[in-house]
Amino acid sequence: MPDKTFTLQLYSATEQQSFDSAISFVGEDASGSFGIQAYHGRMITSLVFGLSRFRVEGGDWQYLALPGGVLYFHDNRLQIFTRRFLLDEDYERVAERLRQQLLAEEEALREMKESMRKMEESVLRKLWEAEHRDSSASRLQ
């Protein structure tokens, strides 16, 4: 009887982790939630922002928070590629860390949009002033 485990490999820009005896993975892509067990068919999908979970043989669920990523399963190996990930056995703790991260990213995005708006106003004001100077100069001639 074949082994009922698979290898799970997590890759981010700054770290990687590997689990050799994963027995189950539950994730979510644009079509909804799905599960993977050993010897699943070849699969590639884009994970959405949120929480996934997995279990290793003899262990409890581990929760994986990520801002989206690419999942690839082939040859009994599940690979997840993402910008960063948070891993914790405590659902509440990792969910809170994910919520804090999301709020921080939303604030950074808001600040970037405000900065872009100010820069756009400045450019438009300079264009308007330049056009006004040119039309004033042509009237004087």
Side-chain angles (χ1 to χ4, degrees), residues 14 24 53 126 139:
T14 59
S24 182
R53 62 187 172 140
K126 288 179 182 181
R139 275 188 267 144

Side-chain angles (χ1 to χ4, degrees), residues 27-34 43-48:
E28 183 178 355
D29 63 10
S31 67
S33 292
F34 61 89
M43 174 182 184
I44 188 168
T45 191
S46 294
L47 296 170
V48 297

Side-chain angles (χ1 to χ4, degrees), residues 112-128:
M112 183 183 71
K113 285 180 179 179
E114 179 65 18
S115 176
M116 292 293 290
R117 185 189 64 76
K118 287 179 181 178
M119 187 169 53
E120 185 178 70
E121 283 178 4
S122 175
V123 167
L124 290 174
R125 183 173 33 259
K126 288 179 182 181
L127 287 172
W128 183 82

